[in-house]
Amino acid sequence: QVQLVESGGGLVQAGGSLRLSCAASVSLSRFNAVGWYRQAPGKQRELVAETTRSGITNYADSVKGRFTISRDNAKNTVYLQMNSLKPEDTAVYYCHFGLRADYWGQGTQVTVSS
């Protein structure tokens, strides 16, 4: 059974940084893709970053150059480094691991004040 536990959210000033972590209960090598999504109130959940088993990374246009996704296979953990944060980045962030089934973290709140 797969469990994903997120941490690292919080309140920051515009221009600040946060690093989100998502720790899995199983090896990351089992998954085809790992990513981060976010959802703001009244809006649809959107993909912000993902990395595939082949090493390809994809970012939403709104976060390119500011966010970086990485993984530590030894720790079964995926990270999202968020720099130069903007108020419009405010959302609940969810990690997502996928293969045949989809697994989601519990969500962590990121709030960016102006």
Side-chain angles (χ1 to χ4, degrees):
Q1 195 169 28
V2 177
Q3 291 180 291
L4 307 179
V5 180
E6 299 181 36
S7 62
L11 173 65
V12 297
Q13 295 280 316
S17 298
L18 285 173
R19 189 179 74 162
L20 306 183
S21 299
C22 181
S25 61
V26 297
S27 174
L28 299 184
S29 65
R30 299 186 182 186
F31 300 98
N32 177 255
V34 180
W36 291 90
Y37 291 72
R38 67 186 181 188
Q39 187 167 24
K43 296 184 178 181
Q44 293 184 323
R45 187 172 298 185
E46 64 174 349
L47 175 70
V48 297
E50 66 175 356
T51 181
T52 69
R53 184 180 291 164
S54 64
I56 301 297
T57 56
N58 297 297
Y59 296 93
D61 288 342
S62 60
V63 307
K64 286 181 179 177
R66 300 189 297 119
F67 290 11
T68 303
I69 188 170
S70 62
R71 56 199 297 167
D72 185 336
N73 291 331
K75 295 183 177 181
N76 295 337
T77 300
V78 175
Y79 304 94
L80 184 67
Q81 179 67 46
M82 304 184 294
N83 298 325
S84 301
L85 283 162
K86 304 175 181 179
E88 49 263 46
D89 294 319
T90 295
V92 177
Y93 285 71
Y94 301 88
C95 61
H96 169 259
F97 289 14
L99 186 55
R100 286 186 173 183
D102 295 315
Y103 302 94
W104 295 90
Q106 81 279 9
T108 185
Q109 176 71 47
V110 171
T111 302
V112 184
S113 64
S114 59

